[in-house]
Amino acid sequence: MNFADRVAIVTGGASGIGRACALEFARGGAAVAVVDVADGATADEAERLIGEAGARGVFTFRADVSDFAQAERVVAAARSRLGGCDILVNAAGINDDAPVWRMTEAQWDRVMGVNVKGAFNYVRAVAPVMRGARAGKIVCVSSVEAFRGRFAVANYAASKAALVGLTRAAAADLGREGINVNCVAPGFTRTEMTKKLPAEILEEAARSSVFGRIAEPEEIAGVVAFLCTDAARYVTGEVIRVDGGQLF
Ligand code: NAP
Protein backbone atom coordinates (compact mmCIF):
# COMPACT_ATOMS: atom_id res chain seq x y z
CA MET A 1 0.00 0.00 0.00
CA ASN A 2 1.32 3.38 -1.00
CA PHE A 3 1.52 6.06 1.68
CA ALA A 4 4.23 8.21 0.10
CA ASP A 5 3.81 11.89 1.07
CA ARG A 6 1.46 10.91 3.89
CA VAL A 7 1.97 11.65 7.57
CA ALA A 8 0.41 9.14 9.96
CA ILE A 9 -0.12 9.66 13.68
CA VAL A 10 -0.46 6.35 15.51
CA THR A 11 -1.37 6.38 19.19
CA GLY A 12 -0.17 3.26 20.97
CA GLY A 13 2.28 2.90 18.10
CA ALA A 14 5.17 1.61 20.20
CA SER A 15 3.68 -1.83 20.75
CA GLY A 16 1.33 -4.50 19.43
CA ILE A 17 -1.37 -3.54 16.95
CA GLY A 18 -0.38 0.15 16.90
CA ARG A 19 3.23 -0.75 16.12
CA ALA A 20 2.11 -3.09 13.32
CA CYS A 21 0.04 -0.22 11.85
CA ALA A 22 3.00 2.16 12.08
CA LEU A 23 5.16 -0.42 10.28
CA GLU A 24 2.55 -0.83 7.53
CA PHE A 25 2.51 2.95 6.94
CA ALA A 26 6.31 3.02 7.04
CA ARG A 27 6.56 0.28 4.40
CA GLY A 28 4.31 2.45 2.23
CA GLY A 29 6.70 5.39 2.60
CA ALA A 30 4.77 7.51 5.12
CA ALA A 31 6.28 9.65 7.83
CA VAL A 32 5.09 8.33 11.19
CA ALA A 33 4.45 10.00 14.52
CA VAL A 34 4.07 7.55 17.41
CA VAL A 35 2.21 8.70 20.53
CA ASP A 36 2.78 6.34 23.44
CA VAL A 37 3.56 5.99 27.14
CA ALA A 38 5.60 2.81 26.65
CA ASP A 39 8.96 2.47 28.40
CA GLY A 40 12.03 3.91 26.69
CA ALA A 41 13.39 0.60 25.38
CA THR A 42 10.06 -0.37 23.78
CA ALA A 43 9.62 3.07 22.24
CA ASP A 44 13.22 3.14 20.94
CA GLU A 45 12.87 -0.32 19.40
CA ALA A 46 9.61 0.68 17.69
CA GLU A 47 11.17 3.87 16.34
CA ARG A 48 14.15 1.91 14.97
CA LEU A 49 11.94 -0.71 13.29
CA ILE A 50 9.66 1.95 11.79
CA GLY A 51 12.71 3.73 10.36
CA GLU A 52 14.14 0.49 8.97
CA ALA A 53 10.77 -0.36 7.39
CA GLY A 54 11.11 2.69 5.15
CA ALA A 55 9.41 5.59 6.93
CA ARG A 56 10.19 8.97 5.40
CA GLY A 57 10.53 10.22 8.94
CA VAL A 58 9.65 8.98 12.40
CA PHE A 59 9.14 10.73 15.69
CA THR A 60 7.96 9.42 19.05
CA PHE A 61 5.94 11.59 21.43
CA ARG A 62 5.91 10.32 25.01
CA ALA A 63 2.36 11.40 25.78
CA ASP A 64 -0.66 10.06 27.61
CA VAL A 65 -3.60 10.17 25.17
CA SER A 66 -6.04 10.93 27.97
CA ASP A 67 -4.52 14.43 28.32
CA PHE A 68 -6.72 16.73 26.21
CA ALA A 69 -4.44 19.76 26.07
CA GLN A 70 -1.41 17.65 25.26
CA ALA A 71 -3.16 16.09 22.23
CA GLU A 72 -3.34 19.45 20.49
CA ARG A 73 0.33 20.13 21.24
CA VAL A 74 1.37 16.70 19.97
CA VAL A 75 -0.54 17.11 16.72
CA ALA A 76 0.95 20.58 16.21
CA ALA A 77 4.45 19.22 16.87
CA ALA A 78 3.91 16.24 14.55
CA ARG A 79 2.84 18.62 11.80
CA SER A 80 5.81 20.86 12.23
CA ARG A 81 8.34 18.00 12.47
CA LEU A 82 6.90 15.71 9.82
CA GLY A 83 5.06 18.15 7.57
CA GLY A 84 1.38 17.32 7.95
CA CYS A 85 -1.28 15.09 9.43
CA ASP A 86 -3.13 12.91 6.92
CA ILE A 87 -3.86 9.75 8.92
CA LEU A 88 -4.78 9.14 12.55
CA VAL A 89 -4.97 5.67 14.07
CA ASN A 90 -6.28 5.52 17.64
CA ALA A 91 -4.71 2.28 18.86
CA ALA A 92 -3.67 3.26 22.41
CA GLY A 93 -5.75 1.20 24.79
CA ILE A 94 -5.70 -0.56 28.13
CA ASN A 95 -7.71 -3.09 30.05
CA ASP A 96 -8.18 -3.44 33.80
CA ASP A 97 -10.55 -6.32 34.35
CA ALA A 98 -12.85 -7.06 37.25
CA PRO A 99 -16.44 -8.29 37.59
CA VAL A 100 -18.85 -5.38 37.98
CA TRP A 101 -19.45 -6.09 41.66
CA ARG A 102 -15.75 -5.57 42.38
CA MET A 103 -14.81 -2.98 39.74
CA THR A 104 -13.63 0.25 41.35
CA GLU A 105 -14.41 3.75 40.19
CA ALA A 106 -10.71 4.18 39.44
CA GLN A 107 -10.69 1.11 37.15
CA TRP A 108 -13.73 2.40 35.28
CA ASP A 109 -12.38 5.95 34.93
CA ARG A 110 -8.89 4.89 33.84
CA VAL A 111 -10.10 2.58 31.07
CA MET A 112 -12.69 5.06 29.81
CA GLY A 113 -10.14 7.88 30.07
CA VAL A 114 -7.56 6.17 27.88
CA ASN A 115 -9.76 4.18 25.50
CA VAL A 116 -12.59 6.67 24.89
CA LYS A 117 -11.45 10.13 25.93
CA GLY A 118 -8.00 9.41 24.50
CA ALA A 119 -9.50 8.63 21.09
CA PHE A 120 -11.77 11.69 21.25
CA ASN A 121 -8.82 13.90 22.20
CA TYR A 122 -6.90 12.93 19.08
CA VAL A 123 -9.92 13.04 16.74
CA ARG A 124 -10.62 16.51 18.14
CA ALA A 125 -7.00 17.59 17.66
CA VAL A 126 -6.66 16.41 14.04
CA ALA A 127 -10.16 17.40 12.89
CA PRO A 128 -9.46 21.11 12.23
CA VAL A 129 -6.27 20.23 10.35
CA MET A 130 -7.95 17.57 8.20
CA ARG A 131 -10.96 19.84 7.59
CA GLY A 132 -8.58 22.52 6.39
CA ALA A 133 -6.94 20.05 4.01
CA ARG A 134 -10.36 18.68 2.98
CA ALA A 135 -8.93 15.17 3.35
CA GLY A 136 -8.00 12.71 6.05
CA LYS A 137 -8.33 9.16 7.31
CA ILE A 138 -9.13 8.23 10.89
CA VAL A 139 -9.31 4.67 12.21
CA CYS A 140 -10.24 3.73 15.78
CA VAL A 141 -9.29 0.34 17.18
CA SER A 142 -12.34 -1.05 18.96
CA SER A 143 -12.77 -4.75 19.85
CA VAL A 144 -15.19 -7.64 19.47
CA GLU A 145 -15.82 -7.08 23.19
CA ALA A 146 -18.01 -4.13 22.07
CA PHE A 147 -20.50 -6.67 20.72
CA ARG A 148 -20.63 -9.46 23.27
CA GLY A 149 -20.84 -10.06 26.99
CA ARG A 150 -17.69 -11.63 28.39
CA PHE A 151 -16.87 -12.00 32.08
CA ALA A 152 -15.23 -9.11 33.98
CA VAL A 153 -14.74 -6.64 31.12
CA ALA A 154 -17.56 -4.11 31.72
CA ASN A 155 -15.26 -1.08 31.57
CA TYR A 156 -13.36 -2.37 28.52
CA ALA A 157 -16.51 -3.50 26.64
CA ALA A 158 -18.24 -0.17 27.36
CA SER A 159 -15.19 1.74 26.16
CA LYS A 160 -14.96 -0.25 22.93
CA ALA A 161 -18.70 0.16 22.25
CA ALA A 162 -18.29 3.90 22.83
CA LEU A 163 -15.60 3.97 20.14
CA VAL A 164 -18.15 2.64 17.65
CA GLY A 165 -20.45 5.55 18.51
CA LEU A 166 -17.58 8.03 18.32
CA THR A 167 -16.59 6.64 14.92
CA ARG A 168 -20.05 6.87 13.40
CA ALA A 169 -20.78 10.35 14.76
CA ALA A 170 -17.37 11.69 13.72
CA ALA A 171 -17.86 10.16 10.25
CA ALA A 172 -21.09 12.16 9.97
CA ASP A 173 -19.42 15.34 11.22
CA LEU A 174 -16.38 15.13 8.95
CA GLY A 175 -17.66 13.47 5.77
CA ARG A 176 -18.44 16.72 3.97
CA GLU A 177 -14.76 17.63 4.19
CA GLY A 178 -13.70 14.36 2.58
CA ILE A 179 -12.56 12.72 5.82
CA ASN A 180 -13.17 9.01 6.40
CA VAL A 181 -13.66 7.74 9.95
CA ASN A 182 -13.80 4.00 10.49
CA CYS A 183 -13.32 1.38 13.14
CA VAL A 184 -11.73 -2.05 13.24
CA ALA A 185 -12.87 -4.51 15.88
CA PRO A 186 -10.16 -7.10 16.43
CA GLY A 187 -10.69 -10.37 18.19
CA PHE A 188 -7.98 -11.73 20.50
CA THR A 189 -4.61 -10.80 19.03
CA ARG A 190 -1.12 -11.81 20.14
CA THR A 191 0.29 -8.66 21.86
CA GLU A 192 1.58 -7.52 25.25
CA MET A 193 -2.04 -6.91 26.27
CA THR A 194 -3.07 -10.54 25.78
CA LYS A 195 0.22 -11.94 27.15
CA LYS A 196 -1.06 -10.94 30.60
CA LEU A 197 -4.23 -13.05 30.26
CA PRO A 198 -4.58 -16.58 31.67
CA ALA A 199 -3.59 -19.27 29.16
CA GLU A 200 -7.06 -20.89 29.23
CA ILE A 201 -8.69 -17.66 27.97
CA LEU A 202 -6.30 -17.53 25.01
CA GLU A 203 -6.79 -21.23 24.28
CA GLU A 204 -10.56 -20.75 24.31
CA ALA A 205 -10.18 -17.71 21.99
CA ALA A 206 -8.05 -19.75 19.59
CA ARG A 207 -10.62 -22.56 19.60
CA SER A 208 -13.43 -20.08 18.91
CA SER A 209 -11.77 -18.84 15.72
CA VAL A 210 -12.56 -20.74 12.53
CA PHE A 211 -8.78 -20.68 11.92
CA GLY A 212 -8.06 -22.28 15.29
CA ARG A 213 -5.69 -19.52 16.39
CA ILE A 214 -5.74 -15.91 17.60
CA ALA A 215 -4.67 -13.05 15.29
CA GLU A 216 -1.20 -11.63 14.73
CA PRO A 217 -0.97 -7.81 15.00
CA GLU A 218 -0.05 -7.56 11.29
CA GLU A 219 -3.40 -9.10 10.40
CA ILE A 220 -5.21 -6.24 12.10
CA ALA A 221 -2.82 -3.62 10.72
CA GLY A 222 -3.43 -4.69 7.12
CA VAL A 223 -7.11 -3.83 7.43
CA VAL A 224 -6.40 -0.56 9.24
CA ALA A 225 -3.98 0.42 6.49
CA PHE A 226 -6.45 -0.52 3.75
CA LEU A 227 -9.02 1.82 5.33
CA CYS A 228 -6.42 4.59 5.01
CA THR A 229 -5.93 4.08 1.25
CA ASP A 230 -7.74 5.79 -1.57
CA ALA A 231 -9.31 2.43 -2.49
CA ALA A 232 -11.44 2.73 0.67
CA ARG A 233 -12.52 6.33 -0.02
CA TYR A 234 -16.27 5.48 -0.03
CA VAL A 235 -16.09 3.53 3.24
CA THR A 236 -16.94 5.57 6.32
CA GLY A 237 -18.64 5.11 9.69
CA GLU A 238 -17.99 1.39 9.23
CA VAL A 239 -16.90 -1.19 11.78
CA ILE A 240 -14.90 -4.07 10.37
CA ARG A 241 -14.48 -7.09 12.58
CA VAL A 242 -11.06 -8.69 12.17
CA ASP A 243 -11.53 -11.69 14.39
CA GLY A 244 -11.07 -14.85 12.34
CA GLY A 245 -14.66 -15.77 13.13
CA GLN A 246 -14.18 -15.55 16.93
CA LEU A 247 -17.57 -13.84 17.24
CA PHE A 248 -19.64 -16.28 15.16
P1 NAP B 1 -0.33 -3.23 23.61
O1 NAP B 1 0.65 -4.12 22.96
O2 NAP B 1 -0.34 -3.12 25.09
O3 NAP B 1 -0.18 -1.78 22.95
C1 NAP B 1 -0.86 -0.68 23.45
C2 NAP B 1 0.13 0.48 23.49
O4 NAP B 1 -0.60 1.64 23.95
C3 NAP B 1 1.26 0.24 24.49
O5 NAP B 1 2.50 0.69 23.98
C4 NAP B 1 0.82 1.06 25.68
O6 NAP B 1 1.89 1.47 26.51
C5 NAP B 1 0.18 2.23 25.00
N1 NAP B 1 -0.66 3.00 25.89
C6 NAP B 1 -1.37 2.55 26.95
N2 NAP B 1 -1.98 3.58 27.57
C7 NAP B 1 -1.63 4.70 26.90
C8 NAP B 1 -1.90 6.06 27.07
N3 NAP B 1 -2.68 6.49 28.09
N4 NAP B 1 -1.40 6.96 26.20
C9 NAP B 1 -0.60 6.55 25.18
N5 NAP B 1 -0.28 5.27 24.97
C10 NAP B 1 -0.79 4.35 25.83
O7 NAP B 1 -1.82 -3.67 23.26
P2 NAP B 1 -2.51 -4.06 21.88
O8 NAP B 1 -3.12 -5.38 22.09
O9 NAP B 1 -1.64 -3.79 20.72
O10 NAP B 1 -3.71 -3.00 21.88
C11 NAP B 1 -3.85 -1.99 20.88
C12 NAP B 1 -5.34 -1.66 20.76
O11 NAP B 1 -6.02 -2.81 20.26
C13 NAP B 1 -5.98 -1.33 22.09
O12 NAP B 1 -6.89 -0.27 21.91
C14 NAP B 1 -6.73 -2.59 22.45
O13 NAP B 1 -7.83 -2.34 23.28
C15 NAP B 1 -7.13 -3.07 21.07
N6 NAP B 1 -7.46 -4.49 20.99
C16 NAP B 1 -6.54 -5.43 21.33
C17 NAP B 1 -6.89 -6.77 21.21
C18 NAP B 1 -5.93 -7.87 21.58
O14 NAP B 1 -6.37 -9.02 21.68
N7 NAP B 1 -4.64 -7.59 21.74
C19 NAP B 1 -8.16 -7.13 20.78
C20 NAP B 1 -9.06 -6.14 20.44
C21 NAP B 1 -8.70 -4.82 20.54
P3 NAP B 1 2.22 0.55 27.82
O15 NAP B 1 2.65 -0.76 27.28
O16 NAP B 1 3.28 1.29 28.53
O17 NAP B 1 0.92 0.47 28.59
Side-chain angles (χ1 to χ4, degrees), residues 174-196:
L174 299 171
R176 288 292 159 98
E177 277 81 31
I179 301 160
N180 303 68
V181 189
N182 289 293
C183 215
V184 294
F188 280 92
T189 305
R190 203 163 55 84
T191 68
E192 291 302 315
M193 182 181 272
T194 46
K195 252 189 210 162
K196 293 179 255 166

Side-chain angles (χ1 to χ4, degrees), residues 12-18 35-39 42 63-66 90-94 114-115 141-144 156 160 186-194:
S15 173
I17 292 170
V35 184
D36 210 298
V37 293
D39 63 77
T42 304
D64 180 338
V65 291
S66 64
N90 280 312
I94 56 168
V114 174
N115 296 6
V141 181
S142 175
S143 166
V144 292
Y156 186 78
K160 293 302 178 179
F188 280 92
T189 305
R190 203 163 55 84
T191 68
E192 291 302 315
M193 182 181 272
T194 46

